[in-house]
Amino acid sequence: MKILGRKEIGSLVEKKSDYCVSIYLPVHRLGDPQDTIRYKNLLGEAEKMLVEMGMRSVEAVEFLAPEHALLDDYAYWKNLGSEGLAVFFCAGMRERFLLPRRFSESVTVAGRFRVKPLIPLVTGDGRFFILTLSKGSARLFIGSRFSISKIGLPEGAPASLMETLKYDDPERQLQFHTQTSGTGGRRQAMFHGHGVGIDEEKENITRFCQQLDKKLYPIFFGEKIPVVLAGIASLPPLYREVESSGMLVSQSVDIDPEALSPESLHREAWELAAPLFAEEEKKARDKFHQLHGTGLAVTDITDIVAAAGDGRIETLFILEDEELWGVFDPGKNMIMPTTNDFPGTVDLLDLAVASTLVNKGNIYVKKPGEMPVAENAAAILRYS
């Protein structure tokens, strides 16, 4: 699964075209016929919008053909493993993301992609990794406040302790076998051999963790989001000793991860990650209220769109599932309200989000009643 980050959203933000189609769809992890039915209906809406915006009907059909072909890909839909599907395409670009969030169903056709629904996955209440460790396996998940999805380990990362040991010199290699335990028929990993003891097992586990860290470091350090460890016994502490990204959450989920469903694992991990996100948001809210009235905390949408484009927004609070269509003239610093089918119109709230993201500002997409003020947007400025 492709990991969605600021870089990927930045690529969407930078793309401009006459017809940028953005589709968001809630889906079922194990697949459901309703998923393809709803996606087909959204494609029908997209075709209608494209024609209304000036594309010839035959061109619209051809433009949407790859998405209609996806409807017939049974293998794709039968086990999605995620909560939401986000699809973006225009001339020369087509991206699909399976993501750990149930989106509100929508389709938008405009001169740029709609990215606001993605923002909670990369900032604010955003993403965190979950690394599960046992002697039998290592697994990597990406989660958010909303859900969890399994992603593959990077190429070359050992998926188990056995994989780490399989290239050892035979004179030194531990024999690895399984025996059935007395409960539920589960199979438990056993290690034995000449001279094997606690020190040697610790050394082998440390090597396992070192090889994992070598492959995971570029991902953890590059994404700079929290990492929650889940495992029992010595594995999480030994991984902490060698981990080099500095992104580990201080506590671990001290439960056998193999015994947890993804939903239970998410619940346990979110309890450890949530306070980190909540503390950062509280600091931002307090700062907004402290600066309110000084010119460095603004709520006027014209001021916010202008400041976002100039890179002056430090933190943006924006209302979820709200749209405010208009045309912004940066030369005159003016906004002309329009309908969503007006030529050149954009969702101004989405434009503020996109510009803030590109300029490395912090963004919190909130539900009604969760905003720091009763407005659809509020921003802390770096400078006036």
Side-chain angles (χ1 to χ4, degrees), residues 112-300:
R112 63 189 304 147
F113 292 120
R114 179 173 175 246
V115 299
K116 187 170 61 166
L118 301 177
I119 300 303
L121 296 169
V122 300
T123 185
D125 287 339
R127 307 168 307 156
F128 61 99
F129 288 114
I130 307 170
L131 177 62
T132 70
L133 298 170
S134 68
K135 293 174 183 177
S137 70
R139 296 178 297 162
L140 184 62
F141 297 81
I142 191 164
S144 72
R145 172 183 177 180
F146 309 98
S147 190
I148 182 177
S149 294
K150 183 180 178 182
I151 56 178
L153 290 170
E155 185 177 356
S160 66
L161 180 56
M162 182 181 182
E163 190 171 325
T164 299
L165 302 180
K166 66 182 179 182
Y167 298 113
D168 278 3
D169 179 19
E171 290 295 323
R172 186 176 176 277
Q173 184 178 20
L174 297 176
Q175 296 176 12
F176 181 90
H177 74 280
T178 59
Q179 71 175 21
T180 303
S181 68
T183 57
R186 289 178 59 84
R187 299 179 69 80
Q188 178 181 2
M190 301 294 292
F191 301 85
H192 62 88
H194 179 70
V196 173
I198 295 175
D199 290 343
E200 189 164 6
E201 183 170 4
K202 179 180 178 181
E203 177 187 343
N204 290 325
I205 294 173
T206 298
R207 290 170 55 215
F208 171 45
C209 293
Q210 287 171 333
Q211 290 186 22
L212 265 179
D213 177 66
K214 182 179 179 180
K215 296 297 182 179
L216 291 173
Y217 166 81
I219 297 173
F220 292 166
F221 185 77
E223 294 293 331
K224 288 185 169 57
I225 59 176
V227 179
V228 176
L229 294 181
I232 57 174
S234 62
L235 272 75
L238 287 176
Y239 188 83
R240 288 183 186 280
E241 289 181 9
V242 303
E243 203 276 335
S244 53
S245 75
M247 300 309 300
L248 295 186
V249 174
S250 60
Q251 293 179 282
S252 302
V253 177
D254 297 322
I255 301 175
D256 179 7
E258 302 294 330
L260 293 176
S261 67
E263 293 74 21
S264 297
L265 179 62
H266 172 259
R267 186 166 53 251
E268 296 284 345
W270 175 245
E271 287 187 9
L272 301 182
L276 302 178
F277 298 118
E279 180 61 25
E280 289 301 311
E281 182 176 343
K282 181 179 184 302
K283 290 178 182 178
R285 286 174 175 273
D286 290 346
K287 186 172 184 178
F288 176 87
H289 291 300
Q290 290 166 6
L291 294 175
H292 200 48
T294 68
L296 290 175
V298 296
T299 58
D300 180 80

